[in-house]
Amino acid sequence: MSKLTGRAWVFDDNVDTDLIYHNKYLAETDPRQMPQYAFEYYPGQENFAKEARPGDFVVAGKNFGCGSSREHAVYCLEYAGIPCVLAETCSRIYYRNAINNGYPVLFVKGLSDAIHNGRIKNGDQLQVDLDTGSIRDLTSGQEFHGDAVSDLEHEIMEAGGLFGYMKKRTTKK
């Protein structure tokens, strides 16, 4: 994978799935329609769905995606063209949903403090390398180091998700 460049959308700690994708929209089953509802109820980021562009990044502190197990919270970002989530930590269920759908999450130590101390801000231009886990804030010059996407995660992403990966593996035998 190559280096990705895009704008940061910064969120705090403990962003639950209801704030990512509110439960009143759960009846929507077309993932292409889900981005229009992303972060609609997140204070200060209500315009995310209208203003986010493909290639932008969601940057969050600790415990991103806590709450329910809804896959909508992954789909609404993936189908909006957000190439990955950068978070200090995220809930296990959000992480599993993301990986199962071939959507990367990079874990970045110290990201919560950087958000709280203003070292990374909304609108900053970021360069992210999924292979090395390096993140460079082109606006401020700050550098962050996350966990690179594993080989297995790469394979799952290239296959379009866990089902595609398993299908590919079973047809090889």
Side-chain angles (χ1 to χ4, degrees), residues 34-90:
M34 293 176 189
Q36 67 184 315
Y37 306 118
F39 294 110
E40 182 177 316
Y41 288 95
Y42 192 93
Q45 298 284 37
E46 299 90 350
N47 292 325
F48 175 88
K50 292 180 183 120
E51 297 175 7
R53 298 184 301 256
D56 287 352
F57 298 100
V58 167
V59 179
K62 298 175 183 173
N63 202 25
F64 183 80
C66 57
S68 74
S69 62
R70 69 187 67 151
E71 288 183 327
H72 299 66
V74 172
Y75 293 146
C76 72
L77 300 179
E78 179 181 11
Y79 282 82
I82 306 303
C84 67
V85 170
L86 309 173
E88 185 155 339
T89 62
C90 76

Side-chain angles (χ1 to χ4, degrees), residues 142-156:
Q142 293 281 318
E143 292 195 24
F144 304 93
H145 300 282
D147 296 334
V149 174
S150 73
D151 291 342
L152 177 58
E153 291 167 335
H154 271 293
E155 290 178 40
I156 293 170

